[in-house]
Amino acid sequence: MRVNAYAAPAAGRPLVPITIDRRDVGPDDVLIEIEYAGICHSDIHTVNGDWGPQPFPVVPGHEIVGVVAAIGARVTRHRVGDRVGVGCMVGACGACANCRSGDEQYCLRGMVATYAGTDRDGTTTQGGYSTHVVVDAGFVLRVPDAIEPAAAAPLLCAGITTYSPLRRWGAGPGRRVAVVGLGGLGHMAVKLAHAMGAEVTVLSQSLKKQEDGLRLGADAYLATSDPATFSELAGRFDLIVNTVSAVVDVDAYLSLLALDGALVNVGAPAEPLSLNAMSLIGGRRTYAGSMIGGIAETQEMLDFCAEHGIGAEVEVIAADQVNEAYERVLASEVRYRFVIDASTLR
Ligand code: NAP
Ligand code: ZN
Protein backbone atom coordinates (compact mmCIF):
# COMPACT_ATOMS: atom_id res chain seq x y z
CA MET A 1 0.00 0.00 0.00
CA ARG A 2 1.54 3.32 -1.08
CA VAL A 3 0.65 6.24 1.22
CA ASN A 4 1.39 9.94 1.61
CA ALA A 5 3.73 11.09 4.37
CA TYR A 6 6.12 13.83 5.44
CA ALA A 7 9.79 12.96 5.76
CA ALA A 8 13.13 14.49 6.61
CA PRO A 9 15.32 13.76 3.56
CA ALA A 10 18.60 14.22 5.46
CA ALA A 11 19.89 15.44 8.83
CA GLY A 12 18.85 18.98 9.64
CA ARG A 13 16.87 19.43 6.42
CA PRO A 14 13.22 20.62 6.32
CA LEU A 15 10.58 17.91 6.03
CA VAL A 16 9.03 17.37 2.60
CA PRO A 17 6.05 15.41 1.21
CA ILE A 18 6.92 11.86 0.19
CA THR A 19 5.17 8.58 -0.58
CA ILE A 20 6.08 5.41 1.30
CA ASP A 21 5.02 1.78 1.14
CA ARG A 22 3.25 0.10 4.04
CA ARG A 23 3.51 -3.68 4.27
CA ASP A 24 0.53 -5.95 3.59
CA VAL A 25 -1.60 -6.65 6.65
CA GLY A 26 -0.18 -9.88 8.08
CA PRO A 27 -2.14 -12.31 10.29
CA ASP A 28 -1.15 -10.44 13.49
CA ASP A 29 -1.30 -6.92 12.05
CA VAL A 30 -3.67 -3.99 12.27
CA LEU A 31 -4.03 -1.40 9.49
CA ILE A 32 -4.73 2.01 11.02
CA GLU A 33 -6.12 5.00 9.16
CA ILE A 34 -4.29 7.78 11.00
CA GLU A 35 -6.31 10.75 12.27
CA TYR A 36 -3.65 12.61 14.28
CA ALA A 37 0.06 12.44 14.93
CA GLY A 38 1.73 14.46 17.69
CA ILE A 39 5.07 16.21 17.25
CA CYS A 40 7.49 15.12 19.97
CA HIS A 41 10.83 16.85 20.58
CA SER A 42 12.37 13.40 19.99
CA ASP A 43 11.24 13.70 16.35
CA ILE A 44 13.29 16.88 16.13
CA HIS A 45 16.34 15.41 17.91
CA THR A 46 16.20 12.45 15.50
CA VAL A 47 15.91 14.34 12.22
CA ASN A 48 18.48 16.91 13.33
CA GLY A 49 20.99 14.12 14.00
CA ASP A 50 21.27 14.95 17.73
CA TRP A 51 21.24 11.24 18.52
CA GLY A 52 23.57 10.10 15.73
CA PRO A 53 23.13 8.95 12.12
CA GLN A 54 19.65 7.94 10.92
CA PRO A 55 18.33 5.88 7.98
CA PHE A 56 17.05 8.85 5.92
CA PRO A 57 14.51 9.58 4.62
CA VAL A 58 12.85 9.45 8.06
CA VAL A 59 9.08 9.82 8.50
CA PRO A 60 8.83 10.81 12.20
CA GLY A 61 5.79 10.47 14.43
CA HIS A 62 5.27 8.19 17.44
CA GLU A 63 2.14 9.71 18.93
CA ILE A 64 -0.41 8.16 16.61
CA VAL A 65 -4.17 7.98 16.94
CA GLY A 66 -6.51 6.61 14.29
CA VAL A 67 -9.18 4.11 13.42
CA VAL A 68 -8.68 0.43 12.62
CA ALA A 69 -9.28 -0.07 8.88
CA ALA A 70 -8.38 -3.77 8.61
CA ILE A 71 -7.15 -6.60 10.81
CA GLY A 72 -5.23 -9.80 10.21
CA ALA A 73 -6.77 -13.27 10.60
CA ARG A 74 -5.31 -13.89 14.07
CA VAL A 75 -6.14 -10.48 15.59
CA THR A 76 -8.69 -10.63 18.40
CA ARG A 77 -7.95 -7.58 20.55
CA HIS A 78 -8.94 -4.92 17.97
CA ARG A 79 -11.83 -4.64 15.55
CA VAL A 80 -12.38 -2.61 12.38
CA GLY A 81 -13.72 0.81 13.39
CA ASP A 82 -12.06 0.89 16.84
CA ARG A 83 -10.16 4.03 17.85
CA VAL A 84 -6.60 3.03 18.60
CA GLY A 85 -3.17 4.45 19.30
CA VAL A 86 0.47 3.62 18.64
CA GLY A 87 3.39 5.04 20.61
CA CYS A 88 7.16 4.84 20.32
CA MET A 89 7.47 1.10 19.85
CA VAL A 90 6.00 -1.33 17.33
CA GLY A 91 7.85 -4.51 18.24
CA ALA A 92 9.88 -6.38 20.85
CA CYS A 93 10.97 -10.02 21.21
CA GLY A 94 8.25 -10.88 23.74
CA ALA A 95 10.42 -13.63 25.23
CA CYS A 96 13.23 -11.97 27.19
CA ALA A 97 12.99 -11.23 30.93
CA ASN A 98 12.18 -7.56 30.36
CA CYS A 99 9.45 -8.26 27.80
CA ARG A 100 7.94 -10.89 30.09
CA SER A 101 7.83 -8.41 32.96
CA GLY A 102 5.95 -5.88 30.81
CA ASP A 103 8.97 -3.67 30.11
CA GLU A 104 9.04 -4.23 26.35
CA GLN A 105 10.68 -0.82 25.89
CA TYR A 106 13.78 -2.34 27.49
CA CYS A 107 13.64 -5.54 25.39
CA LEU A 108 17.01 -7.27 25.69
CA ARG A 109 17.01 -7.91 21.94
CA GLY A 110 16.09 -4.28 21.26
CA MET A 111 12.61 -2.89 20.84
CA VAL A 112 11.53 -1.87 17.34
CA ALA A 113 11.12 1.91 17.28
CA THR A 114 8.06 3.26 15.45
CA TYR A 115 10.30 5.12 13.02
CA ALA A 116 13.94 4.85 12.01
CA GLY A 117 13.89 1.39 13.58
CA THR A 118 14.60 -1.99 12.01
CA ASP A 119 11.47 -4.11 11.73
CA ARG A 120 11.28 -7.90 12.03
CA ASP A 121 11.46 -8.22 8.23
CA GLY A 122 14.61 -6.08 8.09
CA THR A 123 12.90 -3.01 6.64
CA THR A 124 13.18 0.44 8.21
CA THR A 125 10.09 1.57 10.10
CA GLN A 126 8.38 4.84 9.15
CA GLY A 127 6.27 6.81 11.61
CA GLY A 128 2.98 8.56 11.98
CA TYR A 129 3.32 11.73 9.85
CA SER A 130 1.40 9.69 7.32
CA THR A 131 -2.13 8.61 6.37
CA HIS A 132 -1.87 4.92 7.33
CA VAL A 133 0.33 2.56 9.28
CA VAL A 134 0.47 -1.22 9.70
CA VAL A 135 1.40 -2.35 13.21
CA ASP A 136 1.56 -5.66 15.10
CA ALA A 137 -1.68 -5.81 17.12
CA GLY A 138 0.26 -6.37 20.35
CA PHE A 139 1.61 -2.81 20.11
CA VAL A 140 -1.72 -1.15 19.35
CA LEU A 141 -3.50 0.52 22.29
CA ARG A 142 -7.21 1.12 22.84
CA VAL A 143 -8.03 4.84 22.98
CA PRO A 144 -11.04 5.40 25.26
CA ASP A 145 -13.95 7.37 23.77
CA ALA A 146 -13.79 9.83 26.67
CA ILE A 147 -10.58 11.36 25.26
CA GLU A 148 -10.76 13.56 22.14
CA PRO A 149 -8.62 11.87 19.48
CA ALA A 150 -6.35 14.89 18.85
CA ALA A 151 -5.80 15.33 22.60
CA ALA A 152 -5.15 11.60 22.96
CA ALA A 153 -2.31 11.43 20.43
CA PRO A 154 0.36 13.02 22.69
CA LEU A 155 -0.53 10.59 25.48
CA LEU A 156 1.13 7.83 23.46
CA CYS A 157 4.57 9.34 24.14
CA ALA A 158 4.43 12.46 26.33
CA GLY A 159 1.74 10.87 28.50
CA ILE A 160 3.35 7.50 29.14
CA THR A 161 6.88 8.93 29.45
CA THR A 162 5.78 11.04 32.42
CA TYR A 163 3.15 8.65 33.84
CA SER A 164 5.66 5.81 34.22
CA PRO A 165 8.22 7.59 36.46
CA LEU A 166 5.46 9.35 38.42
CA ARG A 167 4.01 5.93 39.26
CA ARG A 168 7.35 4.24 39.86
CA TRP A 169 8.59 6.95 42.23
CA GLY A 170 5.27 7.17 44.03
CA ALA A 171 3.71 10.50 43.06
CA GLY A 172 0.59 10.77 45.20
CA PRO A 173 -0.93 12.44 48.23
CA GLY A 174 1.64 13.86 50.63
CA ARG A 175 4.41 13.78 48.02
CA ARG A 176 6.07 16.88 46.59
CA VAL A 177 6.80 16.65 42.88
CA ALA A 178 8.60 19.18 40.71
CA VAL A 179 8.41 19.22 36.93
CA VAL A 180 11.27 20.91 35.09
CA GLY A 181 10.25 22.41 31.71
CA LEU A 182 6.66 23.10 30.69
CA GLY A 183 6.60 21.71 27.17
CA GLY A 184 4.91 18.61 25.74
CA LEU A 185 6.14 16.18 28.39
CA GLY A 186 6.14 18.75 31.17
CA HIS A 187 2.52 19.77 30.79
CA MET A 188 1.46 16.11 30.85
CA ALA A 189 3.57 15.54 33.97
CA VAL A 190 1.76 18.41 35.68
CA LYS A 191 -1.69 17.10 34.79
CA LEU A 192 -0.87 13.51 35.73
CA ALA A 193 0.94 14.27 39.00
CA HIS A 194 -1.92 16.55 40.03
CA ALA A 195 -4.48 13.83 39.22
CA MET A 196 -2.43 11.35 41.28
CA GLY A 197 -2.80 13.71 44.23
CA ALA A 198 0.75 15.02 44.54
CA GLU A 199 1.70 18.62 45.34
CA VAL A 200 3.10 19.89 42.03
CA THR A 201 5.63 22.65 41.35
CA VAL A 202 6.66 23.77 37.87
CA LEU A 203 10.22 24.94 37.35
CA SER A 204 10.30 26.83 34.06
CA GLN A 205 12.87 29.14 32.51
CA SER A 206 10.57 32.13 33.05
CA LEU A 207 7.15 33.01 34.41
CA LYS A 208 5.69 33.47 30.89
CA LYS A 209 3.51 30.34 31.16
CA GLN A 210 2.74 30.64 34.88
CA GLU A 211 -1.00 31.14 34.44
CA ASP A 212 -1.20 28.05 32.22
CA GLY A 213 0.85 25.98 34.65
CA LEU A 214 -1.45 26.77 37.54
CA ARG A 215 -4.52 26.07 35.39
CA LEU A 216 -3.07 22.68 34.38
CA GLY A 217 -2.86 21.69 38.04
CA ALA A 218 0.38 23.07 39.48
CA ASP A 219 0.32 24.35 43.07
CA ALA A 220 3.37 26.55 42.52
CA TYR A 221 5.31 27.88 39.54
CA LEU A 222 8.81 29.33 39.77
CA ALA A 223 11.38 30.63 37.31
CA THR A 224 14.75 28.89 37.16
CA SER A 225 16.29 32.10 35.79
CA ASP A 226 15.85 33.54 39.30
CA PRO A 227 18.62 32.25 41.61
CA ALA A 228 16.30 32.78 44.61
CA THR A 229 14.21 29.82 43.32
CA PHE A 230 17.03 27.43 44.19
CA SER A 231 17.60 28.76 47.70
CA GLU A 232 13.89 28.95 48.43
CA LEU A 233 13.20 25.35 47.34
CA ALA A 234 16.39 23.68 48.67
CA GLY A 235 15.68 20.15 49.99
CA ARG A 236 11.97 20.36 49.22
CA PHE A 237 11.02 17.64 46.71
CA ASP A 238 10.51 13.89 46.90
CA LEU A 239 10.62 13.60 43.12
CA ILE A 240 11.77 15.87 40.31
CA VAL A 241 10.97 14.95 36.70
CA ASN A 242 13.34 16.72 34.32
CA THR A 243 11.77 17.03 30.86
CA VAL A 244 14.22 19.57 29.44
CA SER A 245 15.51 18.84 25.92
CA ALA A 246 18.77 20.71 26.58
CA VAL A 247 21.64 20.47 29.07
CA VAL A 248 20.76 21.70 32.56
CA ASP A 249 22.69 22.14 35.80
CA VAL A 250 21.96 18.73 37.34
CA ASP A 251 23.59 19.62 40.67
CA ALA A 252 21.30 22.62 41.07
CA TYR A 253 18.22 20.39 40.68
CA LEU A 254 19.63 17.65 42.95
CA SER A 255 19.97 20.29 45.68
CA LEU A 256 16.18 20.66 45.61
CA LEU A 257 15.64 17.02 46.67
CA ALA A 258 14.72 15.96 50.20
CA LEU A 259 16.46 12.97 51.85
CA ASP A 260 16.01 9.89 49.59
CA GLY A 261 14.53 12.05 46.86
CA ALA A 262 14.94 11.18 43.18
CA LEU A 263 15.68 13.28 40.12
CA VAL A 264 14.44 11.39 37.07
CA ASN A 265 15.67 12.49 33.68
CA VAL A 266 13.33 11.92 30.79
CA GLY A 267 14.75 14.78 28.72
CA ALA A 268 17.35 13.41 26.30
CA PRO A 269 19.64 16.25 25.17
CA ALA A 270 22.25 15.84 22.44
CA GLU A 271 25.11 16.69 24.82
CA PRO A 272 26.08 14.75 28.00
CA LEU A 273 24.82 15.85 31.40
CA SER A 274 27.27 15.95 34.29
CA LEU A 275 27.00 15.99 38.05
CA ASN A 276 29.07 16.14 41.21
CA ALA A 277 28.83 12.91 43.24
CA MET A 278 28.54 15.00 46.40
CA SER A 279 25.13 16.17 45.20
CA LEU A 280 23.90 12.56 45.53
CA ILE A 281 25.89 11.55 48.60
CA GLY A 282 24.73 14.48 50.71
CA GLY A 283 21.06 13.48 50.85
CA ARG A 284 21.17 9.79 49.81
CA ARG A 285 19.66 11.02 46.58
CA THR A 286 18.95 9.12 43.38
CA TYR A 287 19.58 10.28 39.84
CA ALA A 288 17.68 8.10 37.37
CA GLY A 289 16.41 7.90 33.82
CA SER A 290 13.23 6.47 32.36
CA MET A 291 12.17 5.63 28.81
CA ILE A 292 8.47 5.65 27.78
CA GLY A 293 6.61 2.70 29.40
CA GLY A 294 5.49 -0.83 28.62
CA ILE A 295 2.40 -1.70 26.60
CA ALA A 296 0.22 -2.70 29.59
CA GLU A 297 1.32 0.42 31.47
CA THR A 298 0.52 2.58 28.43
CA GLN A 299 -3.01 1.13 28.37
CA GLU A 300 -3.27 1.78 32.13
CA MET A 301 -2.22 5.41 31.51
CA LEU A 302 -4.84 5.87 28.76
CA ASP A 303 -7.54 4.45 31.04
CA PHE A 304 -6.32 6.68 33.90
CA CYS A 305 -6.55 9.73 31.61
CA ALA A 306 -10.09 8.79 30.53
CA GLU A 307 -11.14 8.35 34.15
CA HIS A 308 -9.65 11.71 35.19
CA GLY A 309 -10.71 13.69 32.10
CA ILE A 310 -7.12 14.23 31.00
CA GLY A 311 -5.94 14.96 27.47
CA ALA A 312 -3.04 16.97 26.09
CA GLU A 313 -3.38 20.68 25.32
CA VAL A 314 -2.93 20.66 21.57
CA GLU A 315 -2.55 22.95 18.62
CA VAL A 316 -3.76 21.05 15.55
CA ILE A 317 -1.86 21.88 12.37
CA ALA A 318 -1.85 20.85 8.73
CA ALA A 319 1.03 18.64 7.61
CA ASP A 320 2.61 21.44 5.57
CA GLN A 321 3.07 23.48 8.78
CA VAL A 322 5.38 20.89 10.31
CA ASN A 323 8.65 22.76 9.71
CA GLU A 324 7.26 25.92 11.26
CA ALA A 325 6.02 23.87 14.23
CA TYR A 326 9.53 22.43 14.69
CA GLU A 327 10.94 25.97 14.90
CA ARG A 328 8.39 26.90 17.53
CA VAL A 329 9.13 23.78 19.61
CA LEU A 330 12.86 24.61 19.47
CA ALA A 331 12.07 28.13 20.68
CA SER A 332 10.04 26.72 23.66
CA GLU A 333 6.95 28.32 22.10
CA VAL A 334 4.80 25.20 21.99
CA ARG A 335 1.57 25.29 24.01
CA TYR A 336 1.75 22.44 24.62
CA ARG A 337 1.83 19.92 21.80
CA PHE A 338 1.54 20.30 18.04
CA VAL A 339 -0.59 17.61 16.47
CA ILE A 340 -0.75 17.00 12.73
CA ASP A 341 -4.22 16.48 11.26
CA ALA A 342 -3.50 13.50 9.00
CA SER A 343 -6.50 14.29 6.78
CA THR A 344 -4.38 17.16 5.38
CA LEU A 345 -2.07 14.51 3.88
CA ARG A 346 -4.74 12.86 1.77
P1 NAP B 1 9.39 20.34 24.45
O1 NAP B 1 7.93 20.35 24.20
O2 NAP B 1 10.29 21.13 23.57
O3 NAP B 1 9.61 20.75 25.99
C1 NAP B 1 10.88 20.93 26.55
C2 NAP B 1 10.81 22.08 27.53
O4 NAP B 1 12.10 22.21 28.12
C3 NAP B 1 10.56 23.43 26.89
O5 NAP B 1 9.21 23.71 26.72
C4 NAP B 1 11.18 24.37 27.90
O6 NAP B 1 10.28 24.57 28.99
C5 NAP B 1 12.35 23.57 28.43
N1 NAP B 1 13.60 23.97 27.77
C6 NAP B 1 13.91 23.91 26.45
N2 NAP B 1 15.15 24.35 26.22
C7 NAP B 1 15.67 24.68 27.43
C8 NAP B 1 16.92 25.18 27.85
N3 NAP B 1 17.91 25.44 26.98
N4 NAP B 1 17.11 25.37 29.18
C9 NAP B 1 16.13 25.12 30.06
N5 NAP B 1 14.91 24.65 29.70
C10 NAP B 1 14.70 24.44 28.41
O7 NAP B 1 9.96 18.84 24.37
P2 NAP B 1 9.23 17.47 24.76
O8 NAP B 1 8.61 16.90 23.55
O9 NAP B 1 8.47 17.66 25.99
O10 NAP B 1 10.52 16.55 25.04
C11 NAP B 1 11.41 16.90 26.09
C12 NAP B 1 12.63 15.99 26.08
O11 NAP B 1 12.21 14.68 26.45
C13 NAP B 1 13.30 15.84 24.73
O12 NAP B 1 14.71 15.77 24.94
C14 NAP B 1 12.78 14.52 24.22
O13 NAP B 1 13.62 13.90 23.28
C15 NAP B 1 12.72 13.75 25.49
N6 NAP B 1 11.83 12.58 25.47
C16 NAP B 1 12.22 11.50 26.17
C17 NAP B 1 11.41 10.40 26.24
C18 NAP B 1 11.80 9.23 27.09
O14 NAP B 1 11.26 8.15 26.91
N7 NAP B 1 12.68 9.43 28.06
C19 NAP B 1 10.19 10.39 25.56
C20 NAP B 1 9.81 11.51 24.87
C21 NAP B 1 10.64 12.62 24.82
P3 NAP B 1 10.14 26.01 29.71
O15 NAP B 1 9.86 26.99 28.62
O16 NAP B 1 9.02 25.80 30.64
O17 NAP B 1 11.43 26.28 30.42
ZN1 ZN C 1 8.18 11.14 21.93
Side-chain angles (χ1 to χ4, degrees):
M1 180 180 194
R2 182 150 292 182
V3 302
N4 293 341
Y6 254 73
R13 296 272 303 284
L15 276 67
V16 292
I18 186 179
T19 56
I20 55 168
D21 290 322
R22 295 299 191 187
R23 69 167 180 257
D24 293 339
V25 179
D28 299 308
D29 285 337
V30 172
L31 170 67
I32 301 167
E33 183 170 352
I34 299 174
E35 297 176 294
Y36 297 101
I39 295 178
C40 178
H41 205 120
S42 300
D43 302 348
I44 304 175
H45 285 307
T46 303
V47 304
N48 282 349
D50 288 356
W51 295 341
Q54 303 296 331
F56 290 104
V58 170
V59 176
H62 58 208
E63 294 186 335
I64 303 168
V65 163
V67 174
V68 175
I71 57 170
R74 287 202 291 258
V75 175
T76 52
R77 57 199 272 178
H78 303 288
R79 282 175 309 186
V80 172
D82 286 356
R83 177 156 289 119
V84 293
V86 176
C88 303
M89 106 183 119
V90 292
C93 82
C96 73
N98 294 356
C99 281
R100 278 188 280 115
S101 66
D103 289 315
E104 301 92 344
Q105 73 276 34
Y106 305 115
C107 174
L108 294 171
R109 293 182 181 85
M111 63 118 157
V112 181
T114 301
Y115 60 81
T118 305
D119 217 336
R120 292 162 304 181
D121 58 6
T123 59
T124 298
T125 54
Q126 298 287 16
Y129 298 5
S130 164
T131 58
H132 298 77
V133 66
V134 177
V135 178
D136 184 308
F139 292 83
V140 176
L141 288 306
R142 291 181 303 280
V143 175
D145 289 336
I147 315 171
E148 284 292 314
L155 301 179
L156 277 306
C157 175
I160 184 58
T161 300
T162 49
Y163 181 90
S164 185
L166 288 169
R167 276 282 186 242
R168 171 156 296 267
W169 278 275
R175 302 272 285 171
R176 291 169 169 166
V177 175
V179 175
V180 189
L182 194 70
L185 267 58
H187 96 289
M188 287 312 310
V190 171
K191 287 189 176 207
L192 291 166
H194 174 70
M196 290 173 191
E199 181 193 298
V200 185
T201 298
V202 174
L203 300 172
S204 179
Q205 293 167 92
S206 74
L207 296 179
K208 273 192 280 190
K209 298 177 276 192
Q210 186 177 37
E211 216 172 284
D212 287 351
L214 298 174
R215 176 176 54 81
L216 297 172
D219 300 282
Y221 195 110
L222 290 94
T224 53
S225 53
D226 181 356
T229 293
F230 290 91
S231 46
E232 200 178 306
L233 299 178
R236 182 170 178 88
F237 300 105
D238 302 302
L239 170 63
I240 301 175
V241 180
N242 174 26
T243 76
V244 174
S245 48
V247 170
V248 298
D249 181 347
V250 177
D251 296 303
Y253 291 102
L254 287 170
S255 76
L256 305 185
L257 290 173
L259 181 66
D260 290 328
L263 168 59
V264 182
N265 229 94
V266 291
E271 303 300 328
L273 291 159
S274 66
L275 63 85
N276 184 330
M278 295 311 278
S279 303
L280 297 174
I281 292 168
R284 201 163 55 202
R285 293 162 174 143
T286 300
Y287 184 45
S290 185
M291 185 171 75
I292 51 173
I295 290 297
E297 192 179 29
T298 304
Q299 190 62 58
E300 176 190 307
M301 176 276 308
L302 287 165
D303 296 341
F304 178 89
C305 287
E307 191 184 318
H308 291 269
I310 293 174
E313 309 281 303
V314 300
E315 183 173 337
V316 177
I317 60 166
D320 63 6
Q321 293 172 286
V322 63
N323 294 304
E324 195 188 311
Y326 275 24
E327 291 306 317
R328 287 177 57 197
V329 172
L330 286 168
S332 299
E333 276 168 19
V334 56
R335 295 195 182 192
Y336 285 87
R337 201 58 141 184
F338 288 108
V339 172
I340 297 168
D341 177 350
S343 71
T344 63
L345 280 162
R346 290 202 184 97

